[in-house]
Amino acid sequence: MHIVKFFQKIVIVLTVGLICASCRYLPQLSYNPWEVVPTDTQANLADIAFTGTNPKHGWIVGSEATLLETTDGGNHWQVQQLDLGDEKVRFNSVSFKGSEGWIVGLPSILLHSSNEGQTWERITLNAKLPGSPYSIVALAPNTAEMTTDVGAIYQTEDGGKTWKALVEDAVGFVRSLSRSADGRYISVSAKGNFYSTWEPGSQSWEPHNRYSSKRLEKVGFGQDGRLWMIARGGELRFTDPSDPQAWGDPVNPEYSTSWGFLDLAYRTPEEIWVSGGSGNLLCSLDGGKTWQKDREVENVPSNLYKIKFFDPEQGFVLGQRGTLLRYQGSAPPTA
């Protein structure tokens, strides 16, 4: 009798192990739409933008005052040097509207160009600025919107000479900030224990519970009207399109991983990409219901920090040590 029970326990353990193993490994994406592009830098890449006057002319910024330029749509990149003296600078964000471009970074640096980046002028920021520049968005001629790492939001309409505060009180140090196309913001607190939202015209940020037992990494806006949430341990959540306060059940595309997710981006309203540490790149073709992994990218020895699609056929993944992936196109048609 004891022997039978012993073997029954063995069978149960093996069955559970097989089930967990099947949950651990995602199916492989049948094609690899990403190409590794050389950048001739070992800096960590942070952001990418293309000019509005020439869609093939673009810029990448990153750590160590890194500035990369392309004139062929991202196939090739050249390192450009700026004379910033001995100051150690990390560029965080770059944005263009037409031929006018903006770059912000640490420690408290703001650059402005009116000629597609042929020349850059440094604009002095007020020493009393709450926090340090986090992101910037070019909106119109001489007009841009800048955030800081404590959630302050400012706007200029005179090329950076003066700035108007759009929110009365900063939200506190943030882990991440995301902006929608219509000017709404979502921030995640530095400790990841709550997130906050802000809409144009509001005087202050509105805090929200994190709806997860795990600390938050990033919250953003999806193309399908939903909000998305990344929590530690490779956990995702999405809201109901008709109710941004109603978060769905947690989604764990790949269980028992030692790496986490770092960014999420929509290529189309149905196709979602998620990047993570150790060259992990996941894809959902059905709005987040099921997931596949691009295993060819796993060979890239880099943490993949940011995914950015400019349109369904132009996208990039920016990573550690100069890693850059360029989107080459969707799956080839079947015969």
Side-chain angles (χ1 to χ4, degrees):
M1 186 68 176
H2 292 292
I3 295 177
V4 172
K5 288 184 177 180
F6 174 75
F7 280 108
Q8 285 177 338
K9 289 181 180 180
I10 293 290
V11 171
I12 292 173
V13 170
L14 290 174
T15 302
V16 171
L18 289 173
I19 292 174
C20 291
S22 66
C23 293
R24 187 174 302 170
Y25 300 106
L26 285 174
Q28 180 174 350
L29 196 64
S30 61
Y31 63 101
N32 173 30
W34 299 95
E35 171 193 28
V36 178
V37 180
T39 59
D40 294 327
T41 181
Q42 289 296 302
N44 296 333
L45 307 183
D47 199 12
I48 181 173
F50 284 81
T51 69
T53 51
N54 181 357
K56 292 186 176 295
H57 190 191
W59 296 87
I60 288 177
V61 296
S63 63
E64 302 173 18
T66 294
L67 190 61
L68 307 177
E69 181 182 17
T70 182
T71 56
D72 60 6
N75 294 319
H76 303 88
W77 295 84
Q78 296 80 38
V79 176
Q80 303 296 343
Q81 301 292 337
L82 294 178
D83 185 10
L84 300 175
D86 296 329
E87 188 175 9
K88 293 184 179 180
V89 173
R90 184 182 77 208
F91 293 140
N92 295 330
S93 178
V94 58
S95 181
F96 274 86
K97 186 72 173 181
S99 60
E100 188 173 22
W102 302 82
I103 294 174
V104 295
L106 301 172
S108 292
I109 187 168
L110 171 65
L111 304 179
H112 179 239
S113 174
S114 58
N115 53 15
E116 295 189 25
Q118 294 181 35
T119 58
W120 293 92
E121 173 193 7
R122 183 165 185 174
I123 297 176
T124 303
L125 291 169
N126 193 317
K128 296 181 179 179
L129 180 74
S132 300
Y134 182 93
S135 67
I136 194 159
V137 178
L139 299 174
N142 292 315
T143 304
E145 200 167 272
M146 177 177 65
T147 68
T148 74
D149 57 8
V150 294
I153 306 173
Y154 288 88
Q155 190 174 105
T156 181
E157 296 180 348
D158 56 12
K161 296 177 183 177
T162 60
W163 295 84
K164 175 185 177 182
L166 300 184
V167 59
E168 290 184 352
D169 298 314
V171 73
F173 281 102
V174 300
R175 177 180 297 272
S176 67
L177 266 170
S178 302
R179 185 183 189 275
S180 68
D182 59 1
R184 292 172 293 147
Y185 281 94
I186 296 182
S187 68
V188 173
S189 64
K191 293 183 178 180
N193 52 357
F194 69 95
Y195 72 99
S196 301
T197 57
W198 180 85
E199 295 185 358
S202 301
Q203 297 300 310
S204 60
W205 289 85
E206 181 181 357
H208 304 271
N209 295 325
R210 65 188 183 200
Y211 293 93
S212 174
S213 60
K214 300 178 180 179
R215 293 191 180 275
L216 302 181
E217 293 291 344
K218 197 169 187 179
V219 182
F221 302 90
Q223 289 186 19
D224 53 6
R226 296 185 297 174
L227 302 182
W228 53 263
M229 177 186 293
I230 294 177
R232 291 185 181 179
E235 179 183 288
L236 304 175
R237 284 178 186 259
F238 297 89
T239 62
D240 186 317
S242 61
D243 184 2
Q245 298 295 326
W247 289 91
D249 294 331
V251 177
N252 293 90
E254 191 167 24
Y255 287 89
S256 302
T257 57
S258 60
W259 50 272
F261 296 142
L262 299 174
D263 198 18
L264 182 152
Y266 283 67
R267 189 181 77 87
T268 69
E270 295 80 29
E271 184 174 319
I272 305 172
W273 287 86
V274 174
S275 64
S278 303
N280 276 279
L281 197 58
L282 278 58
C283 176
S284 174
L285 302 175
D286 53 13
K289 296 176 183 177
T290 61
W291 293 86
Q292 302 174 64
K293 174 177 279 192
D294 189 336
R295 297 198 180 278
E296 292 189 38
V297 176
E298 280 187 311
N299 298 323
V300 178
S302 172
N303 295 326
L304 304 178
Y305 297 131
K306 187 181 185 70
I307 313 172
K308 195 165 185 178
F309 283 99
F310 295 94
D311 59 52
E313 300 307 320
Q314 186 185 35
F316 296 86
V317 178
L318 283 65
Q320 186 183 25
R321 295 188 296 271
T323 298
L324 178 66
L325 307 179
R326 185 177 69 88
Y327 185 78
Q328 300 181 95
S330 54
T334 56

